[in-house]
Amino acid sequence: MFGAICAKRAGADVLLLEHTGRIGKKLSATGNGKCNLTNLTMEPGDYRGNHPSFVTPVFRQFTQRQTLELFEEMGLVWKERNGMVYPYSNQASTVLDLLRAELERIQVRVLTEVRVEDILPASSASLDRRTKGHIAKKGFLLRTSNGEYTADSVILSCGSKAAPKTGSDGSGYWLAKKLGHSIVEPLPALVQLKAEGNYFKMIAGVRSDCRLGLYIEEKPENGHGGRQNTAAGGKGTKKQPLAEEFGEVQFTDYGISGIPVFQFSRFAVKALREKKKVFVLCDFLPEMEPEVLYDYLCKKKQRLLNSGNSEDLLLGLLNKKLNLMILKEGGIPVLAKAAEISEKQLKSLCRLIKNWKIPLKGYQSFEQGQVCQGGVNTEELTENLESKIHKGLYFAGEIIDIDGRCGGYNLQWAWSSAYVAAVSAAKEQ
């Protein structure tokens, strides 16, 4: 939609083809329905892919400020929180409705329920035989479920495989491959992670502010094992986390979720796909140093010498379900007298609270993933997002091997890449 608007404004005659019954379904779900449409603080490390620096020249051509100016022209009133920009209405439908209204205002032709089955470039040696002369020396023929269309240029902005119910079914990858492009394997990103451990049903539904560190063993995994109360380290394990995040973690019956998990999930997913051993170290009390925590437990034990049990010892620290889980995994009976808890057990509780090890065993599917990693190989695209294989063929958005962190980065990539591709494509006419 954004690309169609930009191309029309640049003077092109534009046709938007959509294979579902309604445009913009995926946009409606972004930002938990609030549409975090960009981020005013952007760093190179906010984007990933085989060549993440590919985003730099694209963003130079169309910035966050230019994005907001264009939306303001359409009538959007927005607000900012910690760099993240939302519509003032707190409704993603506001952004969608503005885009649809602008398409109608500038008279962009939109056809829904039209599936593109083939894209034939004029440069194809077999084109004349296959099209029976429908197009000449330049441009493209699009064969669809609704007949044939010709175009001087084509932009593939079909999304990925994430959230297929919204229309992102991966068909864009198939079309790109037919046109000779290579595809970096699509995998879920910004997705929940499945973990080992028989305690997750016990803490399902708990939310806790934690610091998470992601660790990946370089050697292929031969099977997870052992209890989760060991610290990071060991042969083949990175001593420093590959990624570290802080925020509200959501514990589920299958593992971990929440924005901190989403932020490094793409690295975990890729490593798990490569059959490496992956685990997370969770610090349940990141704002309390280990020695302070130990001192707290010692003083608490002294207060409970004449009465109180192990559950009372942890009362006031964490969510009750987490306290019970930590005691159980530490081998301390819930009703054990606080006075009988040894110094060794107190230190063990400190280690568990500050370094809870969560071995990962998998990840949720494309249905749950907010975006995908992988896509059209950026080495095969110019800085203007034009194919190096077929002149006049462009790509935009998530179909390209670029994915961003949570926080408006993926939508900004959509706006910027759409603008650059659209303005470049308009020049073909």
Side-chain angles (χ1 to χ4, degrees):
M1 292 184 290
F2 197 82
I5 290 167
C6 294
K8 182 73 173 184
R9 287 185 169 207
D13 181 20
V14 181
L15 172 64
L16 193 160
L17 298 177
E18 164 63 39
H19 72 151
T20 71
R22 182 180 175 87
I23 55 175
K25 284 185 178 181
K26 192 169 186 179
L27 183 60
S28 299
T30 60
N32 288 324
K34 296 181 180 180
C35 192
N36 180 189
L37 74 160
T38 189
N39 199 305
L40 299 181
T41 58
M42 192 175 290
E43 301 292 338
D46 294 323
Y47 290 90
R48 293 85 178 256
N50 280 3
H51 302 284
S53 61
F54 182 79
V55 304
T56 301
V58 175
F59 287 138
R60 285 200 195 107
Q61 296 176 72
F62 195 73
T63 66
Q64 305 105 298
R65 290 293 178 185
Q66 288 172 293
T67 299
L68 292 174
E69 287 170 5
L70 201 155
F71 273 111
E72 286 170 356
E73 284 182 36
M74 296 184 210
L76 181 70
V77 177
W78 54 272
K79 60 185 178 181
E80 179 261 343
R81 185 177 73 244
N82 297 324
M84 296 179 287
V85 176
Y86 296 88
Y88 202 83
S89 66
N90 274 333
Q91 291 180 298
S93 59
T94 297
V95 180
L96 174 56
D97 290 343
L98 284 171
L99 289 169
R100 294 178 67 194
E102 183 67 6
L103 288 168
E104 185 174 350
R105 187 187 74 83
I106 62 179
Q107 298 182 328
V108 172
R109 189 182 177 198
V110 178
L111 296 179
T112 58
E113 297 185 312
V114 177
R115 179 172 290 276
V116 178
E117 297 167 346
D118 210 353
I119 300 174
L120 303 171
S123 57
S124 172
S126 60
L127 182 60
D128 290 339
R129 182 180 73 253
R130 296 173 68 184
T131 65
K132 299 180 181 178
H134 279 293
I135 67 174
K137 294 182 180 180
K138 76 168 192 171
F140 300 85
L141 175 77
L142 284 78
R143 285 181 171 154
T144 78
S145 58
N146 193 47
E148 296 182 345
Y149 301 90
T150 59
D152 293 319
S153 55
V154 170
I155 302 174
L156 276 180
S157 54
C158 309
S160 63
K161 286 186 175 182
K165 289 182 179 179
T166 64
S168 297
D169 62 356
S171 56
Y173 300 140
W174 174 75
L175 289 169
K177 287 182 73 174
K178 288 191 71 174
L179 287 161
H181 280 275
S182 58
I183 306 296
V184 178
E185 182 183 15
L187 294 169
L190 304 187
V191 72
Q192 305 90 340
L193 298 174
K194 297 179 181 180
E196 291 192 352
N198 57 12
Y199 54 83
F200 280 100
K201 288 185 178 180
M202 176 181 178
I203 61 172
V206 172
R207 296 170 181 250
S208 180
D209 289 332
C210 305
R211 178 176 289 113
L212 300 180
L214 179 70
Y215 294 80
I216 297 173
E217 282 197 356
E218 295 302 324
K219 292 183 178 181
E221 181 188 1
N222 294 317
H224 290 99
R227 301 220 4 200
Q228 60 276 0
N229 59 350
T230 55
K235 190 175 181 181
T237 302
K238 290 179 178 293
K239 292 183 179 180
Q240 295 298 319
L242 176 67
E244 196 170 35
E245 297 289 341
F246 171 81
E248 186 181 75
V249 178
Q250 301 170 29
F251 295 93
T252 70
D253 59 358
Y254 58 79
I256 51 177
S257 182
I259 290 178
V261 176
F262 290 166
Q263 299 290 37
F264 60 51
S265 62
R266 66 108 58 206
F267 302 115
V269 168
K270 188 173 182 181
L272 288 165
R273 178 69 172 171
E274 294 170 354
K275 299 190 182 302
K276 294 179 179 178
K277 187 172 184 179
V278 186
F279 65 90
V280 170
L281 280 186
C282 178
D283 182 350
F284 289 110
L285 284 172
E287 296 179 2
M288 186 179 289
E289 294 298 323
E291 58 272 17
V292 176
L293 175 59
Y294 179 71
D295 185 57
Y296 167 90
L297 292 177
C298 289
K299 290 179 179 178
K300 191 77 177 285
K301 177 184 173 180
Q302 288 299 314
R303 289 175 57 87
L304 299 171
L305 283 178
N306 297 324
S307 66
N309 54 38
S310 58
E311 186 177 359
D312 296 325
L313 182 68
L314 297 185
L315 184 63
L317 272 182
L318 304 172
N319 180 286
K320 184 176 182 178
K321 290 183 179 180
L322 292 178
N323 288 342
L324 292 174
M325 176 193 72
I326 289 167
L327 288 171
K328 181 179 179 181
E329 293 300 315
I332 301 173
V334 173
L335 298 179
K337 291 182 179 181
E340 296 176 356
I341 297 176
S342 67
E343 179 183 347
K344 182 178 180 181
Q345 287 176 315
L346 287 179
K347 289 181 177 179
S348 176
L349 289 176
C350 287
R351 286 194 297 272
L352 288 170
I353 292 169
K354 298 294 291 181
N355 288 283
W356 185 268
K357 186 176 181 181
I358 305 173
L360 300 180
K361 64 178 181 180
Y363 44 89
Q364 293 288 51
S365 66
F366 289 112
E367 280 74 11
Q368 285 76 39
Q370 293 186 16
V371 299
C372 277
Q373 56 182 297
V376 175
N377 190 339
T378 53
E379 292 182 341
E380 299 166 0
L381 306 179
T382 69
E383 290 187 355
N384 290 335
L385 303 176
E386 185 175 22
S387 165
K388 292 180 181 179
I389 300 173
H390 299 291
K391 182 173 175 57
L393 174 65
Y394 295 84
F395 296 87
E398 201 178 329
I399 193 173
I400 302 171
D401 177 31
I402 291 293
D403 59 283
R405 291 165 53 85
C406 286
Y409 300 106
N410 287 289
L411 276 181
Q412 185 58 56
W413 171 243
W415 314 132
S416 292
S417 60
Y419 174 88
V420 171
V423 171
S424 301
K427 295 176 183 178
E428 299 288 336
Q429 296 196 355

